Amino acid sequence: MKYRVHSHRFGETILKNDEEFKEIWTEIHDIIQSISDDDIIKTFNEKYAKKNKSLSKALNELFRLEFLRRGWMSESPIFQDRDYSENVWRLDFAKDNISLEVGFNHAGTIAWNLLKPVIASELNHVEKAIQTRIGVIICATQRLQRAGNFDGAIGTYEKYVHHLKPLNTQLTVPIVIIGLEAPDTFKIVEYLNEKGEKRGRVEEFYANLLVDETTENYHEPMFDEDLD
């Protein structure tokens, strides 16, 4: 998959240049780039097309398998205290001082997903099960949101970046936001099945079709509610 990166508190610079993080940062890039359009289509058609209308679960499954294959800890608890063992106090993945979230959920969870790496990094009154130094969040750009037929209320890359400024004082650790781009060769088209339920199907197209930039408008509104 293609993607773009936004850095908070020099997160990307640290990951690129600090010997402690160089290898694992390369690994994160390799994981994302290893997921092809064909992989996504195959997983969606085989497991989710009859039950879902978007690529959310298919992408979550592909990332989960890739991160586990490379030795990442899944659903890692932040705290040792059993009173704080629910999912809300867990990281999607953790490895070598990096906490990582794959966020295709509602925009209302953006602030919490951004704060979790801080909680996992800073000293706390509750005994830690894990201690990290940098947070990474993988999410969908608005273009992937549309091409993948995600719900309009999900937390997109653009919205995550928009939250960084007002939360700057609270987000005391380096964080890198990775926004996944739309597929090159297909999109998910919504339809109603025989029961009237919303489902999605793959519609493939040629990746090398040229776009006339004099007529195509690439302006992206920050929030979907700005759309007509």
Side-chain angles (χ1 to χ4, degrees):
M1 295 189 76
K2 295 179 180 177
Y3 53 94
R4 65 179 86 162
V5 175
H6 184 90
S7 185
H8 170 73
R9 293 190 183 270
F10 307 103
E12 185 179 15
T13 300
I14 295 169
L15 290 170
K16 279 182 176 179
N17 297 291
D18 191 320
E19 289 298 329
E20 179 182 358
F21 298 112
K22 277 184 178 180
E23 186 175 343
I24 195 167
W25 181 232
T26 299
E27 182 173 271
I28 292 171
H29 284 283
D30 289 345
I31 288 172
I32 298 172
Q33 292 170 344
S34 73
I35 297 175
S36 68
D37 285 7
D38 288 343
D39 293 332
I40 300 170
I41 291 171
K42 184 174 186 289
T43 301
F44 179 77
N45 283 337
E46 290 182 355
K47 294 187 175 182
Y48 301 107
K50 293 182 179 179
K51 299 179 290 184
N52 301 101
K53 72 180 189 70
S54 79
L55 290 179
S56 175
K57 291 187 180 297
L59 287 174
N60 270 317
E61 172 74 1
L62 288 166
F63 278 115
R64 185 183 68 83
L65 292 174
E66 279 298 316
F67 278 109
L68 288 176
R69 188 173 70 82
R70 299 180 192 235
W72 286 69
M73 187 186 305
S74 176
E75 295 297 319
S76 172
I78 298 174
F79 301 114
Q80 290 189 15
D81 192 325
R82 291 186 179 181
D83 288 340
Y84 298 94
S85 60
E86 304 98 321
N87 286 340
V88 69
W89 300 109
R90 291 176 179 269
L91 302 167
D92 285 347
F93 301 98
K95 184 179 181 182
D96 294 350
N97 291 328
I98 291 183
S99 50
L100 188 146
E101 294 291 307
V102 178
F104 301 131
N105 36 5
H106 193 277
T109 65
I110 289 176
W112 181 242
N113 282 342
L114 288 168
L115 282 169
K116 279 206 280 186
V118 179
I119 296 170
S121 299
E122 299 284 7
L123 293 176
N124 196 281
H125 294 294
V126 184
E127 187 177 1
K128 292 286 191 64
I130 191 169
Q131 193 81 34
T132 63
R133 286 181 54 197
I134 295 183
V136 175
I137 295 173
I138 298 175
C139 52
T141 60
Q142 283 191 343
R143 291 195 175 187
L144 174 58
Q145 175 193 11
R146 292 166 186 160
N149 199 39
F150 287 84
D151 191 284
I154 70 162
T156 61
Y157 168 84
E158 291 81 2
K159 293 178 182 179
Y160 270 95
V161 172
H162 191 65
H163 274 65
L164 292 176
K165 186 175 181 180
L167 291 175
N168 183 68
T169 304
Q170 287 73 34
L171 303 178
T172 55
V173 301
I175 296 173
V176 174
I177 313 294
I178 299 176
L180 303 175
E181 297 285 12
D184 285 329
T185 61
F186 76 96
K187 64 180 179 180
I188 300 297
V189 177
E190 186 176 301
Y191 72 97
L192 296 178
N193 65 12
E194 62 279 2
K195 296 180 180 179
E197 300 165 327
K198 291 181 179 179
R199 295 293 182 264
R201 61 168 169 259
V202 173
E203 182 177 288
E204 297 186 63
F205 50 79
Y206 293 106
N208 61 350
L209 287 177
L210 297 178
V211 176
D212 182 357
E213 294 192 13
T214 63
T215 59
E216 185 76 4
N217 178 12
Y218 285 100
H219 174 69
E220 294 284 354
M222 181 62 67
F223 297 105
D224 288 330
E225 49 265 35
D226 296 333
L227 296 171
D228 292 333

